[in-house]
Amino acid sequence: MAKWGKGDPRWIVEERADATNVNNWHWTERDATNWSSEKLKELLLGVRVENEDGSCEVTEVSQVEGEASINNRKGKLIFFYEWNLKMTWTGTAKSGIKYKGTVEISNLSDENDMDDLDIAVSLGKDEPETDLTALMKKEGAKKIRETMGMYMDALRTEFTQGMILPTINDLSKDAGAQPTPKVDKAQPASGNAASKTSAGVKIPTCRFILKDHFPAPPEEIYRVFVTQELVQGFTHSAAVVDAEKGGKFKLLEGNVTGEFLELVPEQKIGMKWRFKTWPTEHYANITIHFVDQSGETELKVDCKGVPVNEEDRTKDGWKRYYFEGIKQTFGYGARLY
């Protein structure tokens, strides 16, 4: 993949963040060309539209030329891509007669808005005229435009997993991530010693408190829990974090989900929280307290309503994926397992 000259502001020095650079990441670049090529083919093949005249479908992606990359500077994700695409579409009229044509896209790039995308649809040279050409030019092009939007969404979410993500102090809220999707409200949480699932089965539960210390003020540690880009950083996976009362969160590929019940900046977060494997609709009530200790933070996590047989696993999960994950990602002196 081509690199830009040093005179170009997009010139990238590929470096790895090390222990001396934990809170001031270097510029890094990830080549997304091969991944993008496969993703574009995957998304385009099978694109289909139909009306009273028949149906049209993309049956071959014959040309995928271009490049893509993602650059990261201090948590700011910058996307570069430029593609020329050529596809074959096959139409089948209601009478059963088949037709073939092509679709070409010559300007899919980060510099163009989706509305400016040129989608050229044509019928094969020796094919007889058909109303299916109009179907492909209108509805087919619309569907392909939507599919290109899906590619860009995937580039910004799927491919960025595991990249060096924002530092706390230099976080930019528009760090290349898509807006947090809204999801339906969760079922009421249960924090009783013995709760019921929707099936009426009582679940023995327990309560425990976990504590840890972080060499950073409460405002920094609080932001780690409520900022989507930072959560993606310490969990090393895509996440949903809608940090408002009633807002949802989803972490670790959907294995942890819940809802925010209370948000007191720099002091406290209350939430309904569950593992995916817990009984349906059962949530624990978890309150995180951020205690200021002369510029450092004592994190106190009060867990109520955890299924008794999940106590050890839940404790280990919080220590490993939250406490140690945050320390390793943001340079707070993590202990290696």
Side-chain angles (χ1 to χ4, degrees):
M1 179 175 175
K3 295 289 190 297
W4 299 283
K6 291 186 177 181
D8 192 302
R10 296 183 294 181
W11 179 67
I12 304 298
V13 178
E14 298 190 38
E15 297 183 78
R16 292 183 179 271
D18 55 28
T20 64
N21 192 41
V22 292
N23 252 339
N24 184 26
W25 304 120
H26 294 297
W27 273 90
T28 58
E29 175 185 300
R30 177 181 284 186
D31 187 349
T33 301
N34 290 336
W35 179 90
S36 292
S37 179
E38 293 304 314
K39 177 60 70 171
L40 286 164
K41 291 177 183 178
E42 173 192 328
L43 292 171
L44 287 166
L45 279 174
V47 166
R48 189 175 187 276
V49 292
E50 63 180 324
N51 63 9
E52 64 277 5
D53 297 315
S55 64
C56 298
E57 182 177 0
V58 174
T59 53
E60 181 185 5
V61 181
S62 57
Q63 176 181 304
V64 181
E65 293 183 351
E67 59 183 6
S69 66
I70 302 176
N71 301 321
N72 183 327
R73 177 173 176 163
K74 298 180 180 180
K76 177 73 173 182
L77 298 182
I78 305 170
F79 298 83
F80 298 105
Y81 54 89
E82 186 172 1
W83 294 101
N84 296 320
L85 309 171
K86 187 172 182 178
M87 295 152 267
T88 298
W89 65 269
T90 301
T92 304
K94 289 295 184 181
S95 63
I97 299 175
K98 293 188 179 295
Y99 302 85
K100 277 193 176 183
T102 59
V103 180
E104 295 187 53
I105 301 174
S106 59
N107 65 335
L108 177 63
S109 77
D110 58 279
E111 297 181 351
N112 295 324
D113 293 331
M114 189 54 59
D115 291 339
D116 298 326
L117 189 63
D118 291 331
I119 302 176
V121 176
S122 60
L123 187 63
K125 182 178 179 181
D126 298 323
E127 297 286 336
E129 289 299 319
T130 172
D131 292 336
L132 294 179
T133 306
L135 171 62
M136 195 62 192
K137 284 184 176 181
K138 184 177 180 181
E139 298 302 325
K142 179 180 178 182
K143 193 72 174 285
I144 289 171
R145 195 181 303 275
E146 292 173 355
T147 302
M148 293 301 90
M150 293 169 60
Y151 157 69
M152 290 185 286
D153 287 344
L155 184 64
R156 289 175 167 84
T157 55
E158 289 180 28
F159 189 78
T160 56
Q161 294 184 26
M163 289 191 71
I164 299 172
L165 284 147
T167 65
I168 294 176
N169 294 327
D170 296 321
L171 173 67
S172 172
K173 289 188 177 180
D174 62 343
Q178 293 297 296
T180 302
K182 300 287 185 179
V183 287
D184 295 335
K185 299 296 181 184
Q187 297 294 325
S190 172
N192 298 327
S195 63
K196 287 187 177 183
T197 66
S198 59
V201 180
K202 289 187 177 181
I203 303 172
T205 62
C206 63
R207 176 184 181 182
F208 58 83
I209 294 175
L210 300 173
K211 293 182 179 180
D212 208 331
H213 290 80
F214 296 80
E219 57 265 27
E220 282 194 12
I221 306 304
Y222 177 87
R223 266 191 289 163
V224 169
F225 285 88
V226 298
T227 305
Q228 181 164 302
E229 291 82 7
L230 296 180
V231 173
Q232 291 180 153
F234 75 77
T235 60
H236 305 293
S237 63
V240 172
V241 181
D242 185 10
E244 60 181 28
K245 186 174 181 180
K248 296 299 187 59
F249 57 84
K250 181 165 66 173
L251 287 62
L252 298 169
E253 299 182 349
N255 286 300
V256 170
T257 57
E259 177 182 332
F260 291 106
L261 302 176
E262 183 181 17
L263 292 160
V264 182
E266 305 173 17
Q267 297 180 35
K268 181 169 63 173
I269 297 174
M271 66 179 84
K272 299 191 302 187
W273 187 99
R274 61 176 272 111
F275 271 130
K276 183 178 181 179
T277 54
W278 286 6
T280 304
E281 298 182 8
H282 180 82
Y283 291 79
N285 283 320
I286 292 182
T287 304
I288 306 173
H289 298 274
F290 302 83
V291 183
D292 190 354
Q293 295 186 336
S294 300
E296 295 190 348
T297 301
E298 179 189 69
L299 203 64
K300 178 182 175 183
V301 181
D302 188 349
C303 304
K304 302 177 184 178
V306 175
V308 169
N309 61 349
E310 291 283 338
E311 179 179 0
D312 290 342
R313 177 170 174 248
T314 305
K315 286 179 178 178
D316 181 70
W318 271 85
K319 291 175 182 177
R320 181 182 297 271
Y321 296 110
Y322 284 89
F323 298 167
E324 297 301 325
I326 290 169
K327 290 177 180 179
Q328 288 177 5
T329 301
F330 302 113
Y332 293 135
R335 170 170 52 88
L336 298 178
Y337 284 95

